[in-house]
Amino acid sequence: MYRVASASQYLAITGVGIDDIKLEKKAWILPGQSYTVFDISPVNYTFEVQAMSAEKLPFILPAVFTIGPRADDETSLLKYAKLMSAHDKLSAHVKELVKGVIEGETRVLAASMTMEEIFKGTKEFKQEVFEKVQLELNQFGLLIYNANVKQLVDVPGHEYFSYLGQKIQMEAANQAKVDVAEAKMKGEIGSKAREGKTLQNEARIDAETKIIATQRQGDGKKEEIRVKTEVKIFENQREADVAEANAELAMKKAGWARQSQLAEVEAAKAVAIREAELQKEVERMNALTRTEKLRAELLSKASVEYETRVQEANWELYKKQKAAEAVLYEKEKEAEAQKAIAEAAFFARQQVADGELYAKKKEAEGIMVLAQAQGVYLRTLLEALGGNYNALRDYMMINNGMFQEIAKINAEAVKGLQPKISIWSNGSGREAADGSGSSNAMAEVAGVYRMLPPLFKTVHEQTGMLPPAWMGSLTDGSAN
């Protein structure tokens, strides 16, 4: 928005791009800025100040002060805009402020002067009040354009000025009578002298009148030429001022347009940067997803690659063997000499050796790939089990059927031994396979405990697992 203040107004602008406050007569109000229009025309404030002289005599001092912002000082205008522009100049707030300053300074000054000094030195008293009040109003950016102190008025019950006026009136009347008598005497003497001088002056005035008339005509022509010259100069100056104002407005419009374009470019750049950041985050999440997917497929791909390479190696070996056999068959059919047969046999053996070597290399590469895949598999399991090696070992033994194989092997080992199996019951004693028995319960318990050490030792040798601490421990050749 473009705002223009009237002749007696200013725009106080604050907001974006302005450190404190800016005063202008006309300006563009940009987004994020606010403005206030304040008037600098002076206002009359009428007061009746009650004061007291040095003799403790009260009196009333009627005064009219014309006060307004100091228009010729930018610092004072800034003070007024900050402190006073929010209030109307005729509001009670401003009026009380001005009245308080004027009454305070007037009372202080009156208290230092006698009634005679105040009455006779009204002009000096007025000047003193003016200077003191102006000093206080400077801090608000206000200026006293005019101060008119009216006639001093008595407070009811203290008629000092009325008595003083009567005294002065009587003295003036007596002095007037004396002056009348002296005037009458001087008048009679002077009338005769005037008649003679009148005749003398008539002749002199006629001659001077003709001279002055001629001079006046010349001065009139000079004045006319001077006025026309000044008017032309003034018109040229006004045209120059208008051209300067138009140039200043054009420069400010260009500056505002540049600022607006810069703001639009900065906003577009900020949006582009934010979009790039969001796209970067999306790409990062996609990369993580692909990484997890590849990690999950790693084991299966490694197994497939191993099988593929083994088959390729077998196929290459088969092709080479068939080629060697074909060459050997041709050499045998064409064998006309022992040397040719030997060379063919040597060549066949060499091809077979190359094929075996190639197959071994491929098999070794497959084993390496499988080992790498198994390493990744074991490392993943170990991380999932929190680094617990014993838990990983137990899981691998269970998953690969190790315990079943151990049981099967032990069963095969004792299959043809026809072992004797003991069965315990609730107090009936121990019965053997041959039909013999015993009624001694303690002997049966002792037999059970004698059987535990070899059992724990066998389990330890076959699986590497130790019995719990509360059941006992194994030593070199004995058990607890």
Side-chain angles (χ1 to χ4, degrees), residues 107-367:
R107 286 173 181 150
V108 171
L109 184 59
S112 64
M113 301 174 66
T114 64
M115 290 295 281
E116 190 69 21
E117 291 173 345
I118 295 173
F119 187 77
K120 291 184 177 180
T122 305
K123 184 177 180 180
E124 290 76 10
F125 180 72
K126 170 185 172 181
Q127 185 64 29
E128 288 287 338
V129 172
F130 183 90
E131 292 175 356
K132 297 290 185 181
V133 173
Q134 181 60 62
L135 187 62
E136 293 296 324
L137 293 179
N138 284 338
Q139 59 186 330
F140 300 103
L142 295 172
L143 173 67
I144 301 176
Y145 286 90
N146 184 38
N148 184 18
V149 178
K150 298 181 181 180
Q151 177 121 12
L152 301 177
V153 180
D154 289 320
V155 176
H158 300 81
E159 289 77 12
Y160 175 81
F161 291 115
S162 61
Y163 293 148
L164 185 60
Q166 292 177 11
K167 173 186 175 183
I168 294 174
Q169 186 177 1
M170 293 300 295
E171 291 177 350
N174 294 332
Q175 184 64 37
K177 291 178 181 180
V178 174
D179 293 340
V180 169
E182 289 181 356
K184 185 181 288 189
M185 179 188 63
K186 291 179 180 179
E188 292 177 354
I189 297 172
S191 62
K192 297 296 182 181
R194 292 294 179 182
E195 289 178 0
K197 289 183 178 181
T198 300
L199 296 175
Q200 296 174 7
N201 291 332
E202 284 179 358
R204 181 176 57 82
I205 290 172
D206 289 338
E208 291 177 353
T209 300
K210 292 179 180 181
I211 296 172
I212 292 173
T214 303
Q215 292 176 349
R216 290 297 182 185
Q217 290 178 357
D219 292 340
K221 291 181 179 181
K222 292 180 181 179
E223 185 67 21
E224 182 180 358
I225 294 172
R226 186 183 63 81
V227 170
K228 290 182 179 180
T229 304
E230 292 179 353
V231 169
K232 187 63 178 177
I233 293 172
F234 179 76
E235 291 177 352
N236 294 336
Q237 184 64 36
R238 292 300 298 170
E239 291 178 358
D241 293 341
V242 171
E244 183 179 359
N246 292 333
E248 182 180 359
L249 177 59
M251 292 176 63
K252 289 186 177 180
K253 286 183 177 179
W256 295 326
R258 183 173 65 255
Q259 292 178 359
S260 177
Q261 292 176 357
L262 288 175
E264 292 178 358
V265 171
E266 290 177 356
K269 292 296 184 182
V271 172
I273 291 171
R274 182 57 181 166
E275 289 179 354
E277 292 177 352
L278 294 177
Q279 185 64 29
K280 179 181 177 182
E281 185 66 19
V282 171
E283 294 296 334
R284 187 179 68 81
M285 296 303 295
N286 291 336
L288 291 177
T289 303
R290 289 195 295 271
T291 301
E292 293 297 329
K293 184 177 180 181
L294 291 174
R295 186 179 297 170
E297 296 175 355
L298 182 61
L299 290 176
S300 60
K301 286 185 177 180
S303 300
V304 172
E305 185 177 359
Y306 169 72
E307 294 293 337
T308 302
R309 292 189 178 185
V310 170
Q311 293 297 329
E312 289 178 354
N314 292 335
W315 172 247
E316 292 291 335
L317 177 61
Y318 177 77
K319 289 195 297 183
K320 291 183 179 295
Q321 287 177 348
K322 288 301 180 180
E325 290 175 358
V327 172
L328 179 61
Y329 177 76
E330 291 177 357
K331 292 296 182 182
E332 287 178 352
K333 291 295 182 180
E334 297 175 357
E336 294 177 354
Q338 189 66 31
K339 181 178 180 181
I341 296 173
E343 290 178 354
F346 175 75
F347 180 76
R349 288 194 297 271
Q350 186 177 6
Q351 293 297 319
V352 171
D354 292 341
E356 290 178 354
L357 178 61
Y358 183 78
K360 292 295 183 181
K361 287 183 178 180
K362 290 295 182 180
E363 184 178 1
E365 292 178 358
I367 292 172

Side-chain angles (χ1 to χ4, degrees), residues 90-107:
L90 297 176
S91 64
H93 175 81
V94 179
K95 190 172 183 179
E96 289 296 327
L97 174 66
V98 176
K99 181 180 179 181
V101 173
I102 294 174
E103 288 184 348
E105 294 301 327
T106 303
R107 286 173 181 150

Side-chain angles (χ1 to χ4, degrees), residues 42-45 67 80 87-96:
V43 177
N44 289 332
Y45 296 96
I67 299 175
Y80 180 81
H87 304 280
D88 187 85
K89 290 184 292 184
L90 297 176
S91 64
H93 175 81
V94 179
K95 190 172 183 179
E96 289 296 327

